[in-house]
Amino acid sequence: MEIPFTVTARKDTGLFNAKVGIWLFLASEVMLFGGLFSGYVFLRIYADYPWPERTLPVLPGLINTFVLIGSSVTVVFAWASLKMRQWRRFQVFMSLTIACAGVFLILKGIEYKAKWEHQAVRMDDFAVIEGHTHKAELDEKGHMHVAHGHGEEEHGTRFWANRLIFKTEAASFSLVRAYEPWVDTMLEQAKERHAELVASEDVFLYGHPADYPAPEVERKAAEQKLIGEHKNSKPSQHRFGKNSLYVAKGTPLNYRLLEKARGVFVAGRAGNAKVRTRVLRSKWDVAHAEHPGKPNWEIADRVKIEPADLAGKVVGLTPALSFDLKPAIPLVLKRSWIRNRPLAAGAEKASLRDDTSLTGHLEDSPIALAVDAVDFRFMAMKAEEADKNPMTVIERSWIFSEKNAHAEDFKKVWELHKKRIKKVEEHLVDKYGYKDEAKKIPDRVPTETERYRIGWKDLVQYARAQKMGVEPGQKEFAKLRPTMTEGFAGPNHKNKEYTEELHPFLELEIPHQKVSLESKFTPKWNTYYAIYFTLTGLHGLHVVGGAIVLSYYLFFSKGLYRRNPEWLANRVEVGGLFWHFVDLVWIFLFPILYLM
Amino acid sequence: MSAEAAAEDHDDHHHELPFWRKYIYSTDHKVIGIQYGVTALLFLAFGFFLMMVMRWSIAYPEEPLPGWMSWVFSEEWKARWLQDGRLTGETYNMFGAMHGTIMVFLGIVPLGFAAFGNFVTPLQIGTVDMAFPKLNMVSYWCYGVGGLLMLGSFFMESGAAKSGWTNYSPLANFADGQIINQFLAGQTQWLLGMVFLITSSLLGAINFLTTIINLRAKGMTWMRLPFFVWAILVTGFLLLLAFPPLEVAALMQLMDRTVGSSFFVPTGLYTKTAGVIEASGGGSPLLYQHLFWFLGHPEVYVLLIPAIACVAEVIPVNTRKPLWGYKPMVWSILCVGFLSFVVWAHHMYLTGMGPVISTWFQTTTVMISVPSVILLTSLIISLWGGSIRFNVPMLWAVAFLPMFGIGGITGLPLAFNLVDLHLHDTYYVIGHFHYVVAPGVLFGFFAGIYHWFPKITGRHFDTFLGHLHFWPSLIFMNLLFFPMLVQGMAGFHRRWYNGGDAYLAKAEDSVNVFGNTVAEWIYLNPLMSWAAWLLALSQVPFVINLVFSIRWGKKIKNDNPWDATTLEWATPTPPPHGNFTFDVGAYRGPYEYSRDDHEGDFFPQWEEPRKDKPAEEPVKEPVK
């Protein structure tokens, strides 16, 4: 049974099936990317923070544009070669197309990697700091030290300097919710620092009412008996009764233990619920019999479970197990694990999002980074909204205060920056004059970005200027700015000139309490990067998908070419149409994201 | 191309396919249609069960679920999700969200568009299969995976999604946020399931549209297409063009949940458990709503149109006269399709969009009622002067008309933003859309199932069981949904989980107007709940009928038991792989019943014109 019009076109529509199909598919793709572009417009219009204009490196995007356009041309040549039954030429052009896709993806990968490794911090006063986090280590006393030194070699105990150090004495784990990877991480860190997590006390978990004598005296006696039976062996957990568990004090923690305990807890809870339901049902039956014809909402407050109804039929439930850390050691935790953020300095309790509760002491764990950008635009925007002078607010912010150990370095850069902006203002007045002569309102002023954002290129320029004694306003000053190729995908912290001579990027330690949001340059950082990664990521996936299909035609279609070359040509045409669409989306993406 | 002529091609169709290729991984549109149909009916039953549980808590608040309802749940599940056997608000919301999701996306759309569309469309246009049979199979399995994800989410620690079938941010962003690995959270699995379902629908739409455009048999011009095919065409375009923005919304919400983006998170959002959310903010919950409803509105037409399609096929066959106003109906359905894209924000009147935008959507919404009414009116007028056979399919089709009529008319007040101020999020809305979908669309589908069952299986449904299915269903549907309109106008909110008992005026002489109004109408709750449970019981004759008739139903006497005119009745029964055993073509319109110039009662589309007769004139007036 053959489907008609798979190879030859139908007369009245002039199309073969796959062509109809691909155009329909492309219509849906237009709606897909259209939805995303509409989202972009919406997010940009309604953004309540300074939208990052022109922060993306243009060069990789520009190269990618031409690479894709080229690949659109070569895919047409590949199809034409098939129509002309020139197999070798088809192979050549299809290979070129796929190679272009590869180049595109590599450049995209370089761009993405640069962003994922770049740290951003928004402080509670809306100052934005960008840079590269350092690696840190704990000393014997458990205090954090930045591990300066080049190379990102993973020493076992080194960690990124954006973590929280919590010196932990005890940890209580929720039986139902404890998250295995976090428990394992804590166990690993404990092992590294030669500490043990052991049960704080003797715990009895009851899973069946038969194991749970109702009178407390009796129960306590039974528990003491169990403790006695096992006191001479190594501390461990022991099953007893129908479905209950005794965890001896000192039992070492592992996730299997928590799982066993969870099983008992869930069984106990289920048994209790069954009994309670039965009791409540019978209470309702009685209530309905006593008040016939009355709806529930008139008699509900008279129906309740009395404790006496449950005696002897339910068990006490223990939802968490507590473990001591012997000796108390600092645990290195990711900020996102903590539920009660921000943890105050020296906080004695930390709750994690899986209901683990840590007792101890929060050590000093500032975010330590090499700063390559300081951005006061958000602060300035907030100041203007509150009718305050932005410059005053900026100069009173934490980064210039005595609370910042590196304040002097930042003040120096800020002074130089102010000098430069003044020169820009003067230059603009010289060139464009005033729009209101009387009130001396200039026609053009520096943008918010110029005024309030000191980017990495500025820092490099200022460092070079200071070294060579060049002042802003002088002609040579402009020449000191890094070129397009110098920072291909962003600031290069490994550049030899920077690391050995200039040191343009400033050191900084930001206390965790002053951080309102820290993130890499990922979708989490702001809605701009969120829509950027979604748009380019989805587009990138389409490039990958298209490349896979085209590769299939390149490598596996010889047989089909021999049997039915026209059918293959149709397939390649349809694939080429998809490829053109992918290119067209990029033609829209590039100016909107990179140039506007 | 006929089955015989193509017999010399493709070796793999010569010998019998193994069981798993024939019934599980089939690429035959008929098998796939049945797969979709059976799966969808199972999902409908499951969604119905969820609602039955919800209705207990509405009718009998504070009382534990009865044994006959709670036996299906495990003790551990009940301990986690019920409170002393009573439905909690959280569990009610979970059931409510999944009831909506399952009924709409796993039940009605697959049944209407994919099941009926798959089985009937290639037959009615006279071709061998869909344009892309393998893609058809992939569509079904995407649906399967999506459905499994949705069902599986009930077993997660977090439970299934619980933020309404609409899944609005910011609630839907943060519900189940306490689960560390988000891929084990019900809300996230809902989003992933939706991505699979959307993919399935998109691939299906491409297949259907290409088939209808490019594979029609010779002589099957656009205006000779059965109305069913036009309806499937429009539905396909709606799915194709409206689903992608929802995919975008789902993707964005997925990213908000997994990588911490703030597409839909406004600045400074505060929750009780986490305090001020540590996210970038700057996002907009309104963006989600626009993206959702851009699909959401065309989606309700996706639900409706295949049902109209079924009814439009059943009525001419059983009145023995052509469909009245075929051409206006075609234009109307095209208009409905187009207009459905520009009415979406009538679901968002209360978001503060402002009067200008609200007025635009109010206008387009009122406009869209015109072609809808043309469709319904044409179907009603089609009965006029007909020689009506009230067999069971016709009962369902005729009942559809007033039921959908009530549903449609009750929608009109909601179109006006002023009236919607009072009715938004009340039971009135629930009554309106359930009237359209439950006694409306479902009755249309039952008409289709009873109508085409003989073609699918070669046997008739038992008539007595059919009546036993129909009459109680009709009665209980109305007893269940009509009071909702009343309660809604009294102000009952649509997501109350205890039927409104918390809002009752407490004191005898209370001046709480709302509390007194609630007290006046709350008695309807148990009535509606019993109607729902008895409605469930009324479906049992259908299940028995299905199982019984497949094996022991009365065998059909010929391949065209209803004496119908459309091409699907020209095949052997059941239709073989390749469908037609002769070179099929369409020689006239689809509803040539009771023609003046023809001896027989009906003139099938596929019958070749006799050489000795004069050339046929197309019949312009309906025959009296």
Side-chain angles (χ1 to χ4, degrees):
Chain A
M1 179 197 80
E2 200 182 280
I3 313 279
F5 310 120
T6 47
V7 182
T8 46
R10 183 186 163 106
K11 283 234 167 50
D12 57 354
T13 60
L15 301 163
F16 55 90
N17 296 341
K19 210 173 205 179
V20 179
I22 197 72
W23 277 110
L24 290 168
F25 178 62
L26 292 181
S28 83
E29 292 270 83
V30 165
M31 297 305 286
L32 184 75
F33 281 98
L36 279 170
F37 279 109
S38 307
Y40 173 89
V41 169
F42 203 99
L43 288 169
R44 183 161 177 171
I45 292 178
Y46 290 104
D48 55 1
Y49 65 97
W51 190 260
E53 293 169 357
R54 304 202 193 106
T55 43
L56 293 177
V58 173
L59 195 55
L62 194 62
I63 298 175
N64 271 345
T65 308
F66 290 113
V67 163
L68 274 189
I69 292 177
S71 74
S72 279
V73 174
T74 54
V75 80
V76 175
F77 285 172
W79 166 73
S81 308
L82 274 182
K83 288 290 261 192
M84 296 191 289
R85 307 291 185 257
Q86 290 170 329
W87 178 252
R88 273 274 166 261
R89 281 191 96 200
F90 160 72
Q91 285 182 310
V92 167
F93 282 115
M94 194 52 105
S95 308
L96 278 174
T97 311
I98 295 165
C100 285
V103 169
F104 178 91
L105 290 169
I106 289 173
L107 287 178
K108 186 112 252 127
I110 292 175
E111 273 191 83
Y112 275 21
K113 184 160 180 280
K115 291 182 179 53
W116 292 340
E117 291 177 345
H118 202 201
Q119 176 80 44
V121 177
R122 187 174 84 213
M123 300 187 58
D124 57 4
D125 58 4
F126 296 100
V128 168
I129 315 285
E130 301 170 15
H132 271 216
T133 24
H134 291 305
K135 277 261 162 105
E137 289 171 322
L138 289 175
D139 64 13
E140 324 77 49
K141 287 209 214 88
H143 296 146
M144 178 179 128
H145 286 286
V146 174
H148 285 290
H150 311 295
E152 318 273 271
E153 339 80 55
E154 268 303 321
H155 279 214
T157 49
R158 276 193 182 182
F159 51 89
W160 288 109
N162 60 1
R163 303 281 195 260
L164 288 171
I165 319 287
F166 192 86
K167 183 156 184 196
T168 313
E169 287 154 15
S172 158
F173 297 98
S174 155
L175 292 181
V176 172
R177 300 213 48 236
Y179 186 54
E180 189 172 354
W182 289 2
V183 173
D184 287 342
T185 305
M186 284 187 236
L187 283 170
E188 252 173 60
Q189 290 189 21
K191 193 157 158 224
E192 263 163 26
R193 295 187 181 113
H194 310 292
E196 266 201 314
L197 270 161
V198 295
S200 322
E201 56 203 0
D202 293 302
V203 179
F204 293 84
L205 295 148
Y206 294 96
H208 196 284
D211 310 333
Y212 190 82
E216 197 173 328
V217 180
E218 222 184 291
R219 198 168 61 243
K220 290 275 180 232
E223 288 176 3
Q224 285 299 106
K225 188 152 166 266
L226 263 173
I227 296 175
E229 278 170 19
H230 295 285
K231 76 165 184 262
N232 287 324
S233 45
K234 217 165 64 166
S236 176
Q237 76 274 16
H238 310 275
R239 287 205 178 271
F240 68 94
K242 286 224 163 100
N243 187 12
S244 299
L245 192 67
Y246 159 52
V247 180
K249 176 170 170 176
T251 309
L253 167 69
N254 63 59
Y255 196 71
R256 302 283 89 65
L257 167 62
L258 290 178
E259 280 180 331
K260 263 194 217 158
R262 182 196 308 151
V264 172
F265 172 81
V266 167
R269 187 174 68 174
N272 283 9
K274 194 166 174 189
V275 167
R276 294 180 66 95
T277 304
R278 200 181 336 122
V279 167
L280 190 58
R281 269 208 201 111
S282 60
K283 294 276 181 195
W284 271 101
D285 289 338
V286 165
H288 281 310
E290 284 176 2
H291 307 276
K294 277 211 186 266
N296 280 31
W297 45 88
E298 285 177 24
I299 53 178
D301 43 8
R302 275 165 262 190
V303 185
K304 353 178 188 301
I305 303 177
E306 305 295 334
D309 303 314
L310 303 172
K313 302 198 191 107
V314 293
V315 303
L317 294 172
T318 314
L321 279 178
S322 188
F323 291 82
D324 285 332
L325 204 46
K326 287 189 161 35
I329 54 153
L331 288 177
V332 179
L333 309 169
K334 276 196 191 157
R335 195 180 152 96
S336 62
W337 290 12
I338 313 288
R339 173 177 284 138
N340 52 330
R341 285 175 276 179
L343 275 181
E348 287 177 357
K349 266 212 172 329
S351 329
L352 304 187
R353 285 174 44 230
D354 68 343
D355 286 342
T356 303
S357 182
L358 302 176
T359 316
H361 174 82
L362 177 67
E363 300 281 351
D364 263 343
S365 22
I367 299 183
L369 66 163
V371 175
D372 59 39
V374 183
D375 196 334
F376 293 117
R377 278 179 300 173
F378 206 175
M379 193 189 279
M381 187 182 107
K382 288 286 179 188
E384 274 164 17
E385 279 171 13
D387 280 327
K388 299 207 183 103
N389 182 331
M391 293 303 269
T392 322
V393 171
I394 290 171
E395 287 176 359
R396 282 211 214 115
S397 66
W398 174 87
I399 203 167
F400 297 126
S401 71
E402 72 276 358
K403 298 209 194 80
N404 174 12
H406 302 274
E408 290 309 315
D409 297 328
F410 284 89
K411 276 195 201 153
K412 270 199 219 120
V413 168
W414 181 243
E415 290 306 315
L416 189 48
H417 182 73
K418 278 198 290 191
K419 255 194 233 164
R420 167 154 163 253
I421 294 302
K422 193 139 194 340
K423 289 284 173 210
V424 172
E425 283 175 342
E426 287 166 9
H427 169 79
L428 286 173
V429 166
D430 279 341
K431 194 158 175 203
Y432 299 103
Y434 292 101
K435 69 172 176 210
D436 184 325
E437 286 291 339
K439 295 198 201 130
K440 291 278 186 231
I441 299 177
D443 192 39
R444 304 251 180 125
V445 289
T447 62
E448 263 83 26
T449 310
E450 284 176 312
R451 233 193 258 282
Y452 301 123
R453 180 186 164 85
I454 306 175
W456 72 272
K457 290 192 180 169
D458 300 313
L459 286 175
V460 172
Q461 190 179 26
Y462 297 169
R464 285 183 182 147
Q466 277 193 317
K467 190 152 165 266
M468 304 207 266
V470 175
E471 289 289 317
Q474 296 177 315
K475 249 205 253 147
E476 302 76 44
F477 185 77
K479 296 210 193 95
L480 298 175
R481 205 167 168 77
T483 58
M484 218 187 207
T485 45
E486 197 172 317
F488 181 68
N492 184 356
H493 281 245
K494 297 210 193 89
N495 178 313
K496 280 249 159 29
E497 185 203 342
Y498 304 171
T499 53
E500 284 168 13
E501 300 166 23
L502 273 183
H503 309 288
F505 302 140
L506 309 171
E507 293 303 321
L508 187 60
E509 283 99 43
I510 310 175
H512 258 281
Q513 291 71 33
K514 296 215 66 64
V515 173
S516 88
L517 179 69
E518 67 92 7
S519 163
K520 298 290 188 292
F521 279 79
T522 55
K524 183 178 165 193
W525 175 233
N526 57 33
T527 53
Y528 172 80
Y529 282 97
I531 193 79
Y532 164 80
F533 278 107
T534 310
L535 267 168
T536 57
L538 198 60
H539 175 260
L541 283 175
H542 281 72
V543 171
V544 170
I548 289 175
V549 171
L550 295 179
S551 300
Y552 175 80
Y553 291 142
L554 175 62
F555 295 118
F556 298 109
S557 61
K558 191 74 189 283
L560 182 57
Y561 179 71
R562 271 199 250 273
R563 283 197 314 272
N564 196 340
E566 193 61 18
W567 197 6
L568 177 62
N570 286 353
R571 293 279 161 283
V572 171
E573 183 183 2
V574 158
L577 275 169
F578 177 77
W579 195 251
H580 284 179
F581 173 76
V582 169
D583 186 16
L584 184 66
V585 171
W586 179 259
I587 303 294
F588 278 92
L589 269 184
F590 176 64
I592 290 178
L593 290 174
Y594 287 76
L595 303 180
M596 287 166 65
Chain B
M1 199 162 191
S2 74
E4 287 165 342
E8 60 263 16
D9 299 327
H10 300 275
D11 293 324
D12 52 341
H13 298 293
H14 264 167
H15 42 75
E16 269 291 292
L17 294 170
F19 176 84
W20 65 275
R21 275 292 309 278
K22 205 166 166 195
Y23 295 112
I24 316 285
Y25 288 109
S26 170
T27 57
D28 185 307
H29 71 100
K30 301 181 288 297
V31 175
I32 293 175
I34 295 171
Q35 283 177 323
Y36 266 111
V38 170
T39 315
L41 285 172
L42 289 171
F43 275 122
L44 282 175
F46 181 70
F48 199 131
F49 174 73
L50 292 175
M51 175 274 292
M52 280 169 54
V53 178
M54 287 161 70
R55 285 236 57 108
W56 175 269
S57 145
I58 296 171
Y60 302 115
E62 303 303 335
E63 197 170 330
L65 295 180
W68 59 266
M69 202 181 263
S70 67
W71 66 272
V72 290
F73 304 117
S74 74
E75 296 302 328
E76 288 80 22
W77 190 92
K78 284 188 275 201
R80 166 77 176 91
W81 291 105
L82 303 177
Q83 192 183 58
D84 307 334
R86 292 169 295 176
L87 208 60
T88 59
E90 186 187 10
T91 309
Y92 180 94
N93 283 340
M94 177 175 27
F95 279 24
M98 294 310 286
H99 165 78
T101 306
I102 289 173
M103 291 305 219
V104 171
F105 294 109
L106 296 178
I108 301 284
V109 175
L111 182 57
F113 181 70
F116 281 109
N118 251 310
F119 196 95
V120 176
T121 311
L123 295 174
Q124 278 197 341
I125 64 175
T127 188
V128 294
D129 203 315
M130 287 286 182
F132 309 116
K134 290 202 198 93
L135 199 68
N136 210 4
M137 181 185 79
V138 169
S139 298
Y140 175 74
W141 287 107
C142 275
Y143 163 59
V145 169
L148 280 173
L149 264 171
M150 292 282 187
L151 285 183
S153 66
F154 277 101
F155 298 99
M156 298 290 123
E157 165 59 29
S158 65
K162 51 189 72 66
S163 309
W165 82 282
T166 50
N167 219 48
Y168 281 176
S169 292
L171 178 64
N173 267 41
F174 296 101
D176 301 345
Q178 75 279 11
I179 305 294
I180 312 297
N181 180 355
Q182 272 298 300
F183 291 100
L184 297 177
Q187 290 281 159
T188 308
Q189 289 175 348
W190 187 94
L191 294 167
L192 289 170
M194 285 305 296
V195 171
F196 276 97
L197 295 175
I198 295 173
T199 305
S200 161
S201 289
L202 282 177
L203 296 177
I206 293 170
N207 220 341
F208 280 63
L209 294 173
T210 306
T211 307
I212 296 172
I213 291 171
N214 235 32
L215 293 187
R216 286 163 291 129
K218 67 170 190 276
M220 183 60 83
T221 60
W222 288 100
M223 283 313 193
R224 282 185 183 165
L225 281 175
F227 188 76
F228 181 94
V229 181
W230 274 112
I232 295 292
L233 182 82
V234 171
T235 312
F237 271 111
L238 292 183
L239 287 172
L240 185 78
L241 299 174
F243 252 134
L246 180 62
E247 187 144 36
V248 168
L251 186 63
M252 288 178 168
Q253 208 180 73
L254 258 174
M255 287 185 64
D256 278 4
R257 296 184 68 87
T258 50
V259 298
S261 57
S262 291
F263 282 113
F264 305 128
V265 179
T267 310
L269 190 67
Y270 175 93
T271 70
K272 204 175 80 168
T273 42
V276 176
I277 300 286
E278 194 169 294
S280 67
S284 169
L286 210 57
L287 176 62
Y288 177 86
Q289 290 194 31
H290 279 293
L291 287 171
F292 180 87
W293 285 115
F294 189 84
L295 163 89
H297 195 80
E299 174 70 18
V300 311
Y301 288 97
V302 168
L303 304 177
L304 170 68
I305 291 174
I308 290 188
C310 290
V311 171
E313 291 306 305
V314 171
I315 285 183
V317 173
N318 292 305
T319 53
R320 313 311 294 163
K321 61 194 280 283
L323 206 57
W324 191 92
Y326 171 85
K327 247 204 185 131
M329 281 183 76
V330 169
W331 284 108
S332 295
I333 205 149
L334 291 171
C335 283
V336 163
F338 169 72
L339 280 173
S340 72
F341 280 100
V342 290
V343 299
W344 78 89
H346 65 225
H347 300 274
M348 294 167 59
Y349 282 144
L350 265 66
T351 56
M353 298 183 295
V356 174
I357 304 213
S358 295
T359 308
W360 160 267
F361 284 105
Q362 183 178 294
T363 313
T364 52
T365 307
V366 172
M367 274 166 65
I368 203 174
S369 67
V370 172
S372 315
V373 169
I374 292 177
L375 285 169
L376 187 62
T377 315
S378 301
L379 289 172
I380 294 175
I381 299 179
S382 299
L383 300 172
W384 181 265
S387 174
I388 304 184
R389 306 191 296 210
F390 277 106
N391 49 32
V392 178
M394 191 58 169
L395 281 178
W396 290 109
V398 169
F400 167 88
L401 302 171
M403 294 295 101
F404 172 65
I406 296 177
I409 286 183
T410 53
L412 222 36
L414 294 170
F416 296 97
N417 57 353
L418 181 65
V419 182
D420 194 53
L421 270 176
H422 178 59
L423 295 175
H424 181 76
D425 268 355
T426 62
Y427 258 91
Y428 183 89
V429 178
I430 300 192
H432 153 68
F433 69 71
H434 276 94
Y435 253 103
V436 184
V437 176
V441 169
L442 260 180
F443 279 22
F445 288 163
F446 281 131
I449 293 177
Y450 280 77
H451 179 66
W452 278 302
F453 184 81
K455 176 50 70 179
I456 300 174
T457 60
R459 294 176 186 272
H460 283 284
F461 264 135
D462 179 76
T463 309
F464 176 69
L465 286 174
H467 280 267
L468 212 54
H469 178 202
F470 173 76
W471 293 105
S473 296
L474 180 64
I475 293 168
F476 292 125
M477 284 284 194
N478 282 286
L479 281 177
L480 172 55
F481 294 117
F482 199 87
M484 287 190 184
L485 300 170
V486 175
Q487 279 191 336
M489 284 199 281
F492 278 58
H493 296 185
R494 72 186 270 180
R495 292 206 166 106
W496 283 345
Y497 72 99
N498 271 348
D501 67 345
Y503 293 84
L504 286 167
K506 289 282 187 278
E508 281 281 305
D509 52 353
S510 166
V511 296
N512 178 348
V513 174
F514 187 57
N516 286 326
T517 315
V518 171
E520 203 179 327
W521 297 106
I522 196 172
Y523 76 91
L524 289 170
N525 282 342
L527 168 70
M528 294 195 284
S529 294
W530 278 101
W533 299 326
L534 291 171
L535 183 62
L537 225 53
S538 315
Q539 309 312 304
V540 173
F542 172 62
V543 177
I544 297 176
N545 209 349
L546 204 52
V547 171
F548 173 85
S549 304
I550 285 182
R551 285 287 217 91
W552 301 292
K554 185 170 86 172
K555 275 215 173 114
I556 51 174
K557 294 207 184 67
N558 58 48
D559 288 326
N560 188 2
W562 303 118
D563 289 333
T565 53
T566 42
L567 292 185
E568 76 268 31
W569 302 102
T571 64
T573 309
H577 201 45
N579 296 339
F580 296 92
T581 50
F582 62 101
D583 194 14
V584 66
Y587 299 98
R588 59 196 63 80
Y591 306 115
E592 298 302 326
Y593 296 97
S594 309
R595 275 175 71 123
D596 273 339
D597 59 348
H598 182 71
E599 296 137 12
D601 168 51
F602 66 105
F603 204 175
Q605 239 184 336
W606 67 88
E607 221 174 80
E608 296 193 35
R610 280 175 40 183
K611 298 296 191 309
D612 56 329
K613 283 266 165 133
E616 284 172 43
E617 302 261 322
V619 179
K620 295 228 177 63
E621 306 293 343
V623 178
K624 297 233 171 22

